[in-house]
Amino acid sequence: MTSTERHATGRPATLHDVARLAGVSIATASKALNGRKHVSATTRAEVLEAAALLAYSPNTLARGLVAGRTGMVGLLTSDLEGRLSIPILMGAEDAFGADRTSVLLCDARGDAIREGHHLRTLLSRRVDGLIVVGARPDPRPSIGRDLPVPVVYAYAPSADPDDLSLVSDNVTAGRMAIEHLTGLGRRTIAHITGDPTYGAAQDRAKGALAELAARGLPLAGDRVHFGAWTEAWGRSATRTLLAQHVAIDAVFAGSDQIARGVIDALHEEGLEVPRDVAVIGFDNWEIFATSSRPPLSSIDMNLETLGRVAAERLAAAFDGALGSGVEQIPCRLVPRESTVAA
Amino acid sequence: MTSTERHATGRPATLHDVARLAGVSIATASKALNGRKHVSATTRAEVLEAAALLAYSPNTLARGLVAGRTGMVGLLTSDLEGRLSIPILMGAEDAFGADRTSVLLCDARGDAIREGHHLRTLLSRRVDGLIVVGARPDPRPSIGRDLPVPVVYAYAPSADPDDLSLVSDNVTAGRMAIEHLTGLGRRTIAHITGDPTYGAAQDRAKGALAELAARGLPLAGDRVHFGAWTEAWGRSATRTLLAQHVAIDAVFAGSDQIARGVIDALHEEGLEVPRDVAVIGFDNWEIFATSSRPPLSSIDMNLETLGRVAAERLAAAFDGALGSGVEQIPCRLVPRESTVAA
DNA sequence: TTACTTTCGGAAAGCGTTTTCGGAATATCA
DNA sequence: TGATATTCCGAAAACGCTTTCCGAAAGTAA
């Protein structure tokens, strides 16, 4: 391994360099490059040529310093794997336009101290706004009132009702799952889901129950089967149901992992999916949903949309007022072979 | 949803404000806050008090403008799920110190155009360095020579040997897997892995074969079973082996997903893991490895370390020269119950 | 030609820092 | 007490850019 000077050493060209080469003042050069008025076509062309020659790239920092805007937003997450933050980041990137706004990603790793630390850093970098992504979809402490920049909470709402939060519409998602299954002719539907302390679990169950009631259908197994967000729980809950000779022709699982456990257990009992029992999951975690046997129908929380909306709300807040309260973002059902035979 | 002015409106305090309140010049205020010399203890205390009173937070942009360093590095990734980039980002954050360096994350989504776009944006933001993370562990096009900042390629090496790349040591990882299995007394080991066009697949196989040879053991099934990085392939390859009455007491799988398929197929044939057949995976993708039945021993690529080393190499390059070539980062074996009975 | 617009280009201020350098005040030494 | 060394503090330049404002030049109308 040699050890040479790899990156070009000379500092990048400045506006001053461009102006000098074009034989104009930096004021004129600035106007020419930014399409401002009061520059003749010929001078503009000369400046542009000089800029191209020098591979001039404007210093966004300096620009931000005078504009009072940095074109950066902070994404403060606690999501250790990026499962949530990356899609949200991409949505935000799209909405802002990747060329005008960049995202500073900070992972607090679930540590409040670290979160405060990152917050201070982001503020001192003068980000234009902040998106806070929680690890679980339940109210989390606000990062503070009266911050110098607008803040949007995504996925996990802020506990402070004066903050603006964006969350998935889990109630409607629950209804969608039932609607899908009944639309396929299923009548005896069980709901196996995760940790009951998760608001999302409660909401999805609530939606499912409401939709069942609206259609005059009972919930198979008589109650919602809360447990853990694991395959193991999906398996064991399913076995319990079958052991009790509960007749089921569909299962609405609270997560894709649970759904896989459910399918596993059904297979072990010789039941075929979706012929005998249709199964739908939640999260649409591609890697799980598509590697399942059969591929898993699932409900997608539209995280990119969440990010996109977060960006839009922030953008609106830049020149105006930010709303408050909790905004529900609709989910989307992705049908695959675990409910609809290929 | 009300629509009020949520974030504090007044612009943040500047050094000028602090100086004025403390009754000193901005020069003195700056020195006091930065612990420079030539400031008496009492004035320093006064300045600090003023700063605290105003909740002063220095403008990192302005600081960067004069220092010629922004304290930001760009992380240019193509990793759609964050599976790679987030751990690498966290490692880099740790190495730099989250308070002195922030990471701008840009996802190119596998699109060269978008990558170029992001690159330009990052450069115009004057990042101090760049980490490029590829989606698959094979040589990828260099993002360019003679960039104004040092660049380190992580996970996927650059095709240009003059660039500095950091990759996992797949060959040694292959040896480690075999070493682990033979250490447990296994003698007939098969290797089922993914797409043979992946250099990583070849390297792991090479390491495994070398280690087997060193121990005078044959490869069960006579050849490496290349296929796809899927559960389905793991299942079908295993079935094929069993159908051929190949005696195996261990399988080294090329990924955790393949490993799960292998375990599935073994169970279907009435074989118990690890009693009859030990199985080890690769990637140590927590969610897969731990939700497997039994939990999966696996090889972790130490992505955080990759990020950490990338950060260290960049930091070294800031004041000095950057190396070139491909640096191998060792992997780590994480034993769980799929090889070692609980 | 004179008077008035319109169009261009540049000087300079300012964004919020850090840092150099010179001057004033205080302390140290003969 | 006068000369010299120390210690503090502030004025000002610099970082790279945008923008306001003013003057010069050129065009238009009478």
Side-chain angles (χ1 to χ4, degrees):
Chain A
M1 186 161 64
T2 66
S3 191
T4 53
E5 184 69 31
R6 285 291 303 122
H7 52 283
T9 154
R11 54 159 191 56
T14 73
L15 186 57
H16 188 261
D17 300 328
V18 176
R20 191 152 40 88
L21 180 58
V24 299
S25 74
I26 60 167
T28 308
S30 172
K31 287 180 221 162
L33 291 171
N34 293 312
R36 289 278 172 289
K37 289 203 149 193
H38 304 294
V39 179
S40 72
T42 56
T43 351
R44 188 182 303 276
E46 285 166 9
V47 171
L48 257 49
E49 191 187 356
L53 218 63
L54 296 173
Y56 172 70
S57 154
N59 184 327
T60 309
L61 263 77
R63 196 192 292 239
L65 190 55
V66 29
R69 274 208 195 175
T70 57
M72 298 191 297
V73 305
L75 184 43
L76 200 46
T77 178
S78 289
D79 167 25
L80 296 159
E81 291 241 338
R83 161 92 182 89
L84 304 166
S85 19
I86 298 288
I88 290 176
L89 183 150
M90 302 212 306
E93 251 184 13
D94 281 350
F96 280 127
D99 45 342
R100 36 188 74 270
T101 303
S102 302
V103 180
L104 279 168
L105 204 171
C106 297
D107 197 316
R109 305 176 205 184
D111 176 355
I113 308 278
R114 206 189 299 260
E115 183 172 277
H117 207 77
H118 276 141
L119 175 59
R120 271 188 298 282
T121 307
L122 289 172
L123 291 180
S124 90
R125 288 195 185 282
R126 298 295 188 268
V127 291
D128 295 330
L130 236 33
I131 301 177
V132 179
V133 179
R136 63 174 269 183
D138 285 291
R140 47 146 293 148
S142 174
I143 57 168
R145 313 176 80 100
D146 299 318
L147 291 175
V149 294
V151 182
V152 173
Y153 295 78
Y155 191 69
S158 165
D160 184 340
D162 285 344
D163 287 326
L164 175 61
S165 304
L166 267 33
V167 303
S168 298
D169 184 349
N170 284 298
V171 175
T172 305
R175 304 191 78 113
M176 289 170 65
I178 300 302
E179 198 174 11
H180 177 67
L181 294 172
T182 55
L184 295 166
R186 311 292 169 156
R187 321 298 292 169
T188 50
I189 306 175
H191 183 27
I192 301 175
T193 187
D195 189 335
T197 70
Y198 277 58
Q202 296 292 346
D203 287 347
R204 292 167 195 172
K206 195 189 303 175
L209 289 173
E211 186 67 22
L212 282 173
R215 295 170 185 266
L217 293 174
L219 178 66
D222 290 331
R223 59 186 183 80
V224 176
H225 290 74
F226 289 103
W229 302 107
T230 62
E231 285 192 48
W233 165 244
R235 278 191 297 263
S236 87
T238 306
R239 282 204 208 96
T240 306
L241 274 176
L242 295 177
Q244 293 168 342
H245 301 291
V246 176
I248 50 175
D249 60 13
V251 175
F252 168 29
S255 78
D256 290 343
Q257 291 182 73
I258 292 175
R260 290 202 56 158
V262 170
I263 291 179
D264 247 26
L266 291 172
H267 283 166
E268 276 176 5
E269 300 295 325
L271 294 166
E272 195 175 311
V273 177
R275 195 195 57 194
D276 302 320
V277 182
V279 178
I280 185 168
F282 208 106
D283 290 345
N284 193 32
W285 196 341
E286 288 281 332
I287 196 82
F288 272 102
T290 60
S291 70
S292 160
R293 213 175 24 155
L296 208 51
S297 296
S298 190
I299 292 182
D300 191 300
M301 292 187 286
N302 283 332
L303 294 171
E304 304 84 355
T305 305
L306 220 89
R308 201 165 42 66
V309 174
E312 287 165 2
R313 297 290 173 274
L314 281 183
F318 293 159
D319 35 34
L322 184 60
S324 65
V326 176
E327 193 172 337
Q328 306 276 338
I329 305 296
C331 298
R332 160 176 58 102
L333 194 147
V334 179
R336 294 199 186 84
E337 281 115 79
S338 70
T339 56
V340 190
Chain B
M1 185 161 65
T2 66
S3 191
T4 53
E5 185 70 28
R6 286 290 304 123
H7 51 283
T9 154
R11 53 158 191 59
T14 74
L15 186 57
H16 188 262
D17 300 328
V18 176
R20 191 152 39 87
L21 180 58
V24 298
S25 74
I26 59 168
T28 308
S30 172
K31 288 180 220 163
L33 291 170
N34 293 311
R36 289 277 172 293
K37 290 204 148 191
H38 304 294
V39 180
S40 73
T42 56
T43 11
R44 187 182 303 274
E46 285 166 9
V47 171
L48 256 50
E49 192 187 356
L53 218 64
L54 297 174
Y56 171 70
S57 154
N59 183 328
T60 309
L61 264 77
R63 197 191 291 238
L65 189 56
V66 30
R69 274 209 195 174
T70 57
M72 299 191 298
V73 305
L75 184 43
L76 199 47
T77 178
S78 289
D79 167 25
L80 297 158
E81 290 240 338
R83 161 93 181 89
L84 304 165
S85 19
I86 297 288
I88 290 176
L89 184 150
M90 303 213 303
E93 251 183 12
D94 282 350
F96 281 126
D99 44 342
R100 37 187 74 269
T101 304
S102 302
V103 180
L104 280 169
L105 203 170
C106 298
D107 196 316
R109 306 176 206 184
D111 177 353
I113 309 279
R114 206 188 300 258
E115 183 172 276
H117 207 77
H118 276 141
L119 175 59
R120 271 189 299 282
T121 306
L122 289 171
L123 291 179
S124 90
R125 288 196 184 283
R126 298 295 187 267
V127 292
D128 295 331
L130 236 33
I131 301 177
V132 178
V133 179
R136 63 176 269 183
D138 285 291
R140 46 147 292 149
S142 174
I143 57 168
R145 313 176 80 102
D146 298 317
L147 291 175
V149 295
V151 181
V152 173
Y153 295 78
Y155 192 68
S158 164
D160 184 341
D162 285 344
D163 287 326
L164 176 60
S165 305
L166 267 33
V167 303
S168 298
D169 185 349
N170 284 297
V171 175
T172 305
R175 306 191 76 114
M176 289 170 65
I178 300 302
E179 198 173 11
H180 176 66
L181 294 172
T182 54
L184 295 166
R186 310 292 169 157
R187 320 299 290 170
T188 49
I189 307 174
H191 183 27
I192 301 175
T193 188
D195 189 335
T197 70
Y198 276 59
Q202 296 292 345
D203 287 347
R204 292 167 196 171
K206 196 190 301 176
L209 289 172
E211 187 67 21
L212 282 171
R215 294 172 184 266
L217 293 173
L219 178 66
D222 290 332
R223 60 186 182 80
V224 176
H225 291 73
F226 289 103
W229 302 108
T230 63
E231 286 192 46
W233 166 244
R235 278 192 296 265
S236 86
T238 306
R239 280 203 209 97
T240 306
L241 274 176
L242 295 176
Q244 292 168 342
H245 302 291
V246 175
I248 51 175
D249 59 14
V251 175
F252 169 29
S255 79
D256 290 343
Q257 291 182 72
I258 293 175
R260 291 202 57 158
V262 170
I263 291 179
D264 245 28
L266 291 171
H267 283 167
E268 277 176 5
E269 299 296 324
L271 293 166
E272 197 175 309
V273 177
R275 195 195 59 193
D276 302 320
V277 181
V279 177
I280 185 167
F282 207 106
D283 289 344
N284 194 33
W285 197 341
E286 288 280 333
I287 197 81
F288 272 102
T290 61
S291 69
S292 160
R293 214 174 22 156
L296 207 51
S297 296
S298 191
I299 292 182
D300 191 300
M301 291 187 285
N302 283 330
L303 294 171
E304 304 84 354
T305 305
L306 220 89
R308 201 164 43 65
V309 174
E312 286 166 1
R313 295 292 173 273
L314 281 184
F318 293 158
D319 35 34
L322 183 61
S324 64
V326 177
E327 193 172 335
Q328 306 275 338
I329 305 296
C331 297
R332 162 176 56 102
L333 193 147
V334 179
R336 294 200 185 83
E337 282 117 75
S338 70
T339 56
V340 189

